[in-house]
Amino acid sequence: MPKRYSTVRGREFGAGMRTAIAHSGMTARQIAAVMDWQEAKVSDMLTGRGGVTLMEVAMFLSVCRIPGAMRDHLLGLFPLLDVQGLWQLHGEHSPIWSRTAHAHVDVAKTLVSWDSHAIPLLLRTPEHMRAILAASPLVPANELDDRLRAFEELLQLRGSVHNCAFYLRESALRSQVGSLEEHLSQLHRIKHLAGEAGITIKVVPQAVGAPPGMAGPFTLLKFKEAAYAPMVWTETENSSLFNEDPSSVKGIETVVRGLDAVSLNPKESTRLITLLLAEEE
């Protein structure tokens, strides 16, 4: 029986199955006909709502003729589709393109992002991001342009989110990343975004030495689909965590309220950015 909800693991599985279908050169309807399935059964599988057995998944993948590593990954995910949350270990360095992050930002209704020491990811300009990537010993030089393209695609997806709130520290605004020209461009970009409908930017002033959220950056996502539970996305140098546990989400919501209590309001934040620009220009 298909579930009325889906987990991030289930959606990761569904995305992989869609890739398998594309690899086959057939449509979902054609594969359903080969399997003697109703199309609704394929749809439930692709949305991570279940309705299929492990044997049926293996048969479906055999029809798609996908590479063995991809097959093993999907078959390994399948028994754990009901487990909330997904911790992705990337090895030495993160992938160029995060299918999971892109897919969930794309369908988010609201987004709240905080970074304890830097400009939040989805506020960065491509030039700012290039400087950060170039400084990392874990980013191969020959991947820099591809990673920037993936980042710019993520920024485009963020543009479709109805309501975004960003919290950042004054120290992050003052820290020059890249050239002075790139630094000023980043400040101008944040000031411009602060004036856009659906975007709220609040700055934690320098005087707040230890604000809530010192443990590190996070992005809290809530979704248009009722079947998608709220989720907290966090990144490290070489791992990603997508956490749907209700208690964990509630904890992050408490951190957000704490940040809100110590931050400048949006007008004060914009005024501060204007003053910083005047100091630098």
Side-chain angles (χ1 to χ4, degrees):
M1 175 71 69
K3 302 183 292 292
R4 293 183 179 180
Y5 65 92
S6 69
T7 64
V8 63
R9 289 175 182 269
R11 296 189 291 275
E12 178 79 2
F13 173 79
M17 295 301 284
R18 284 189 287 274
T19 300
I21 291 171
H23 184 274
S24 74
M26 294 186 285
T27 66
R29 175 178 292 182
Q30 289 170 330
I31 298 179
V34 171
M35 297 287 295
D36 196 24
W37 287 4
Q38 293 183 348
E39 283 189 71
K41 185 168 183 172
V42 178
S43 176
D44 286 334
M45 180 178 66
L46 297 182
T47 54
R49 296 185 181 183
V52 292
T53 67
L54 181 62
M55 179 65 74
E56 287 174 323
V57 172
M59 292 170 60
F60 191 96
L61 293 175
S62 70
V63 172
C64 293
R65 297 179 180 273
I66 61 171
M70 183 180 179
R71 177 202 62 217
D72 293 345
H73 171 66
L74 291 171
L75 291 176
L77 274 176
F78 182 77
L80 303 172
L81 298 187
D82 288 334
V83 177
Q84 289 185 315
L86 177 62
W87 183 25
Q88 297 175 333
L89 300 176
H90 301 310
E92 186 176 355
H93 53 77
S94 63
I96 292 172
W97 187 81
S98 171
R99 178 174 62 194
T100 310
H102 281 64
H104 286 86
V105 171
D106 188 31
V107 297
K109 179 174 66 175
T110 65
L111 178 156
V112 180
S113 188
W114 153 254
D115 198 303
S116 54
H117 65 281
I119 302 294
L121 176 67
L122 296 174
L123 279 183
R124 296 173 188 169
T125 63
E127 294 76 19
H128 187 99
M129 191 65 183
R130 176 182 285 275
I132 289 175
L133 290 172
S136 173
L138 297 184
V139 175
N142 62 353
E143 292 183 357
L144 192 57
D145 289 340
D146 288 338
R147 288 177 180 273
L148 278 174
R149 278 191 286 272
F151 168 69
E152 289 173 347
E153 181 181 325
L154 193 60
L155 289 184
Q156 291 177 349
L157 296 175
R158 191 268 300 154
S160 67
V161 180
H162 295 168
N163 289 289
C164 299
F166 295 95
Y167 294 86
L168 66 160
R169 303 186 74 180
E170 180 181 344
S171 57
L173 292 170
R174 291 184 176 277
S175 179
Q176 180 177 322
V177 174
S179 68
L180 177 59
E181 181 181 0
E182 290 168 345
H183 172 60
L184 293 174
S185 176
Q186 176 67 76
L187 293 181
H188 277 294
R189 178 60 178 162
I190 294 173
K191 183 179 177 181
H192 172 76
L193 288 172
E196 288 194 0
I199 295 181
T200 301
I201 293 175
K202 295 186 176 183
V203 177
V204 177
Q206 199 92 302
V208 182
M214 288 290 284
F218 61 78
T219 299
L220 172 62
L221 299 164
K222 296 185 179 181
F223 303 99
K224 304 165 190 174
E225 291 283 343
Y228 289 20
M231 183 177 78
V232 179
W233 164 35
T234 58
E235 289 283 335
T236 71
E237 292 285 352
N238 52 11
S239 70
S240 305
L241 177 63
F242 302 91
N243 190 349
E244 304 165 287
D245 172 65
S247 296
S248 298
V249 171
K250 185 178 180 180
I252 291 299
E253 289 174 335
T254 301
V255 172
V256 171
R257 288 193 293 273
L259 285 168
D260 207 66
V262 300
S263 296
L264 302 175
N265 65 40
K267 287 186 178 180
E268 292 169 336
S269 296
T270 301
R271 191 178 303 122
L272 174 60
I273 295 169
T274 301
L275 288 173
L276 292 177
L277 282 165
E279 288 177 10
E280 298 281 1
E281 289 180 325

